[in-house]
């Protein structure tokens, strides 16, 4: 005897409205992108003020920023100097943030205007999918204790102070003590 299970899923009107808003926003960006086929941009850094945030399109985690994560990024920024590049799509005369909304805010909070960029050159729909893909990866972040243990291992393997601090995020002072 075969049993069939059916799920009665109800899509809320809010979710439907979000989808149609997203579709409209994508269409507007596609129009803007098709009207401006300028020479490709080769920027590797830009001012935070030159970036356009469109969380309704690329804020795949939702519009609110996570304060805990912003704190982690701020500490990492203070220790390392730069975070991973922010992924931007040049559309029209704007640089639109595809992935890196938290990083942009961390730079702003630290008073840093000049940030590293990576350019996305695909279509708007491909950019939405890239933002989705980058934010759905399962990543296990190292605890502070794990990072310190790793720093000890790197110090003992004769890595430089800069190499250890940059790769682990452990402060120069702490790694300096380890090197004694």
């Amino acid at each position: 005897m075969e049993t069939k299970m059916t799920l009665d899923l109800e899509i809320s009107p809010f979710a439907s409205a979000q989808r149609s808003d997203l579709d409209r926003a994508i269409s507007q960006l596609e129009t803007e992108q098709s009207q401006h086929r300028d020479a490709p941009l080769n920027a590797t850094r830009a001012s935070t003020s030159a970036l356009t945030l469109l969380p309704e399109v690329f804020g795949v985690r939702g519009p609110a920023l996570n304060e805990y994560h912003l704190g982690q990024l701020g500490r990492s920024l203070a220790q390392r100097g730069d975070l991973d590049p922010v992924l931007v799509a040049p559309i029209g005369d704007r640089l639109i943030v595809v992935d890196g909304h938290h990083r942009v805010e961390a730079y702003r909070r630290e008073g840093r205007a000049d940030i590293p960029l990576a350019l996305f050159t695909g279509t708007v729909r491909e950019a939405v999918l890239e933002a989705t893909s980058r934010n759905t990866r399962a990543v296990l972040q190292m605890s502070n204790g794990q990072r310190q243990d790793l720093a000890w291992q790197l110090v003992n393997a004769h890595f430089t102070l800069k190499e250890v601090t940059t790769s682990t995020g452990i402060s120069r002072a702490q790694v300096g003590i380890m090197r004694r």
Side-chain angles (χ1 to χ4, degrees):
M1 179 174 167
E2 183 177 316
T3 305
K4 289 188 178 181
M5 253 176 74
T6 60
L7 295 176
D8 215 4
L9 298 177
E10 186 177 313
I11 306 285
S12 75
F14 177 71
S16 297
Q18 283 183 320
R19 277 199 297 278
S20 63
D21 290 346
L22 175 61
D23 193 44
R24 266 194 306 279
I26 289 171
S27 293
Q28 289 172 343
L29 287 172
E30 287 174 332
T31 300
E32 187 177 341
Q33 188 177 46
S34 69
Q35 293 172 349
H36 295 89
R37 292 285 179 196
D38 299 335
L41 183 67
N42 292 321
T44 58
R45 297 189 78 80
S47 167
T48 55
S49 63
L51 303 178
T52 301
L53 298 172
L54 296 177
E56 66 276 13
V57 179
F58 298 109
V60 296
R61 294 178 185 267
L65 295 175
N66 182 293
E67 289 298 324
Y68 177 75
H69 186 53
L70 285 168
Q72 288 179 313
L73 290 173
R75 285 186 294 281
S76 183
L77 186 56
Q79 291 173 350
R80 296 180 183 193
D82 271 339
L83 301 172
D84 289 339
V86 171
L87 185 64
V88 298
I91 297 177
D93 60 353
R94 302 185 290 171
L95 288 174
I96 298 176
V97 175
V98 173
D99 181 56
H101 293 76
H102 282 89
R103 282 171 275 158
V104 170
E105 181 61 21
Y107 277 104
R108 286 182 179 157
R109 288 184 182 189
E110 292 292 320
R112 304 253 320 266
D114 183 55
I115 66 172
L117 301 178
L119 296 177
F120 184 85
T121 57
T123 67
V124 175
R125 289 188 181 281
E126 290 168 339
V128 170
L129 294 174
E130 181 65 19
T132 301
S133 174
R134 287 178 177 226
N135 283 277
T136 56
R137 294 181 184 140
V139 176
L140 178 60
Q141 190 172 23
M142 294 178 80
S143 70
N144 186 51
Q146 289 170 322
R147 290 185 303 114
Q148 286 197 23
D149 288 345
L150 180 56
W152 272 110
Q153 291 174 28
L154 295 175
V155 165
N156 289 330
H158 306 290
F159 282 84
T160 67
L161 176 70
K162 182 178 180 180
E163 290 170 329
V164 176
T165 59
T166 301
S167 65
T168 64
I170 301 297
S171 72
R172 289 178 60 87
Q174 183 67 39
V175 175
I177 292 169
M178 293 176 182
R179 292 172 54 102
R180 291 185 190 157

